[in-house]
Amino acid sequence: MKISPLIIEAPDKLNYNRPWLKSYNKNTPANLVYPDKTIYEMLADSARENTNTVALEFMGTKTKFKELVSQVDNCAKALLEIGVTENDAVTICMPNTPHAVIMFYAVNKVGAIANMIHPLSAPKEIEFYLKHVDSKFILIGDFSYSNLKKVQERLEINKIIVAKISDFLGKRMTMGFWAFEGRKIPKIKYKENELLISWKKFYKLGLNSNKVIKTNMKPGDGAVVLYTGGTTGIQKGVLLSNDNFNALVVQCLAHLNDERLGEIKKDKIMCILPVFHGFGLTVCVHLPMCVGACAILVPKFNSTIFADQFAKHKPQFIAGVPTLYEALLRSKKMKKSNFKCLKGVFAGGDSVPIELKNQFNEFIQKRGSMVTMQEGYGLTETVTVSCLIPNTNDKLSSMGIPLPDMLYKIVKVGTTEDLPPGEDGEICISGPTVMLKYYNNPEETDKVLKLHPDGLKWCHTGDLGYMDEDGFFYFKSRIKRMIKSSGYSVFPNQIEEVINKHEAVSLSCVIGVPDKYQIEKIKAFITLKEGYSDSDRIKNEIMDLCNEYLAKWSVPREIEIRKELPTTLIGKVDWLKLKQEFAEA
């Protein structure tokens, strides 16, 4: 039994040594057939088969597949009415709400590019994102509009569609939202700006439209621009195709394919990860939309909201970044939850400390769960995850094995020279989810996408790691993050794994700070779990752990305890911001 009919095995045309295949689930094909369809066509096909199944749940409002595809079709007509063509890019600056999902598919239907950005982007960031793709149309939340307004005069905008959370709330929920959140949002003065239109008025344009939608978009064409997290210091727009998104959906389904799970249709997945990020958009939205499952949209994460939504919906799948799972462990409400409903727990976006993985697995298993956390690895340049721990084997320190049809290898840094198992080098990826290019940035594209002697195009990740004899891959560090101290190469992730073993440590981040003798000295920043306070005893115990597990040159010279650590837009600990503190000093 397959969990989805989208899983179709294909003959092996790769002719490539893949030692990891022996660790695949017995029902996971090594090679797959991929749908020759656009992102919108995948939704439309699914809606025809799952007409009355609930597709989205949002703060008490349920949307069935037949309603969703109708909303998307109307939205697409409205886009034509305001002048959007298949040569345009439409910016979506929204949290996880129905507006964002509807607009994402509607933009695809008209053949335009969906430019996905963070709803809390600063004014200068919004300006950069719109100019980068020459976007003249934007969907933005009313709570974010003030930031766009500050840079609007410097942009060539044709229409600003303003959405409210209350657009998709029932009367009771709207009153509650207004009492706690809505009244804080400045009122939008539509009459003062002819470019502004409310979501409801925009949507009516589609209802009253007689326009016929025709598009020349092909499955291999660019469809979505996502932005790299900025951990390298340079924001780049990653252009991804319909094929990239649809391939990842089929690969994830094949990886999950286990008869014990039953059909995935009608299952629920918690959509906590943001839709401007590949993990949230593909795994938490597009995947359930393709198979007739339900995405529970959570517009804002905090552990209390998550606990309430989890208890109410009893989802089968949850996916998040390490900081999310760390927060859940501290939630009093989550301690009262029953996790028997779970079929899968996935973590990505950053390395998961072994201690956190063990603690979370123990936490949910004590409360009825039969599954364990599966860590994955990926990057925006491959949509998101392309390597995942198989559910048949969990090497705790590994980031897993490549998904079907994805090829991984390790090369000598700065070259295309393959390295054998066990040797550290740059992780390179090839396969159907690798991006088309960096949008309007051929120079950076050429640095990352390279043709190797084997005739394949490989994505150079900028990450350092190795492969073991079984084909499992291990992440060590960002190459740019590697610390050079007294001539030795030091890997922050290894140090953080040791620090996280201490019972008091909640999060840790290790960086190199300037030092006149060592070039860089190693400094560790940590936050403590509830019930612990800053003390020399804790610092000394952490130093003892480091001396026990690490080579002398890898032991931190200094430990600083903070109340919180800076994070990136998707919740990763922002090591670069900590580095900048010292650069500015």
Side-chain angles (χ1 to χ4, degrees), residues 303 326-333 335 359 503-507 527-534 538 562-563:
S303 54
E326 190 274 334
L328 294 181
L329 286 175
R330 290 184 278 112
S331 165
K332 291 178 181 177
K333 280 203 167 188
K335 290 174 183 174
Q359 286 171 17
E503 62 181 7
V505 175
S506 176
L507 288 174
T527 61
L528 299 177
K529 293 176 183 173
E530 197 174 330
Y532 292 91
S533 57
D534 188 347
I538 287 175
R562 292 190 173 186
K563 287 186 177 179

Side-chain angles (χ1 to χ4, degrees), residues 313-329:
H313 297 292
K314 296 180 173 55
Q316 282 65 56
F317 299 95
I318 56 175
V321 293
T323 48
L324 180 146
Y325 291 115
E326 190 274 334
L328 294 181
L329 286 175

Side-chain angles (χ1 to χ4, degrees), residues 430-528:
S430 183
T433 64
V434 172
M435 68 174 182
L436 297 177
K437 62 182 180 180
Y438 289 125
Y439 196 94
N440 201 24
N441 199 336
E443 188 178 327
E444 287 294 322
T445 301
D446 290 343
K447 287 179 186 177
V448 172
L449 298 183
K450 297 180 184 291
L451 192 67
H452 283 208
D454 56 18
L456 297 174
K457 181 176 73 174
W458 291 85
C459 175
H460 285 244
T461 65
D463 288 339
L464 201 66
Y466 68 94
M467 179 183 78
D468 69 16
E469 294 286 350
D470 296 322
F472 280 73
F473 284 81
Y474 298 78
F475 173 83
K476 296 197 81 170
S477 172
R478 289 289 299 169
I479 290 172
K480 289 185 178 180
R481 194 185 171 197
M482 187 172 67
I483 301 167
K484 278 287 185 182
S485 184
S486 300
Y488 293 101
S489 295
V490 177
F491 306 108
N493 287 73
Q494 290 181 322
I495 304 169
E496 289 160 5
E497 278 190 11
V498 172
I499 292 172
N500 291 335
K501 290 177 182 289
H502 194 283
E503 62 181 7
V505 175
S506 176
L507 288 174
S508 67
C509 183
V510 171
I511 64 168
V513 298
D515 183 84
K516 68 167 76 172
Y517 299 111
Q518 295 178 292
I519 302 176
E520 284 188 300
K521 69 176 181 181
I522 301 162
K523 180 166 182 175
F525 297 85
I526 64 172
T527 61
L528 299 177

